[in-house]
Amino acid sequence: MSTTAQMLETYPRDLGRVDRLALETCIAACIECAQACSACADACLSERMVADLTKCIRTNLDCADVCDATGRVLSRHTGYDAHLTRAILQACLQACRSCGDVCSDHSSMHEHCRVCAVSCRTCEQACRDLLDHLG
């Protein structure tokens, strides 16, 4: 059982009607995507043609920040605000879509961009799934 699952299981109050598996999956995807985007930005900085990767680096860093914030917000349940949760999930979904698109453009030349694009698509889908479960 993941730490995220353990923390959800041990939360002392009822989480309401939220789909725990969708929530757990989304938190994990956000954390993983933040790491992948940070690592991809760093790898881009080490490429010979770094100037050609400026947009990719910027998009990676933006996506990493949004995913990190989303994972943290989704991990807090006391005083839950459904409007904030929906808004941050939508922002994360968009950040992942944008980053995934940019990384896909470079994926044939840079394996780290391919890996990052896959992580972005996974997180994008996890955010979409959780939004669907929130109603």
Side-chain angles (χ1 to χ4, degrees):
M1 180 180 279
S2 72
T3 301
T4 301
Q6 290 177 39
M7 293 306 294
L8 290 172
E9 285 292 320
T10 61
Y11 186 70
R13 295 193 179 177
D14 182 19
L15 291 175
R17 297 179 311 206
V18 68
D19 183 313
R20 283 184 188 225
L21 182 57
L23 178 59
E24 177 187 348
T25 299
C26 193
I27 292 169
C30 287
I31 293 167
E32 183 173 298
C33 191
Q35 188 280 324
C37 289
S38 292
C40 188
D42 183 67
C44 286
L45 288 169
S46 294
E47 293 291 349
R48 293 176 140 224
M49 304 295 283
V50 68
D52 295 340
L53 296 169
T54 302
K55 183 176 180 181
C56 190
I57 294 164
R58 169 60 193 263
T59 307
N60 270 292
L61 295 175
D62 288 348
C63 190
D65 288 345
V66 173
C67 286
D68 182 55
T70 303
R72 291 192 334 254
V73 167
L74 293 178
S75 295
R76 296 190 286 264
H77 310 289
T78 304
Y80 173 75
D81 181 340
H83 298 292
L84 176 63
T85 299
R86 281 187 190 91
I88 200 160
L89 282 168
Q90 289 166 342
C92 191
L93 189 154
Q94 182 58 55
C96 289
R97 181 182 302 135
S98 296
C99 190
D101 289 348
V102 172
C103 280
S104 289
D105 290 344
H106 300 284
S107 63
S108 63
M109 291 183 62
H110 307 292
E111 181 66 9
H112 53 84
C113 287
R114 187 198 64 76
V115 171
C116 187
V118 169
S119 184
C120 288
R121 299 296 185 217
T122 299
C123 190
E124 178 185 353
Q125 186 60 52
C127 289
R128 186 175 288 109
D129 291 345
L130 185 55
L131 275 166
D132 290 345
H133 283 94
L134 293 178

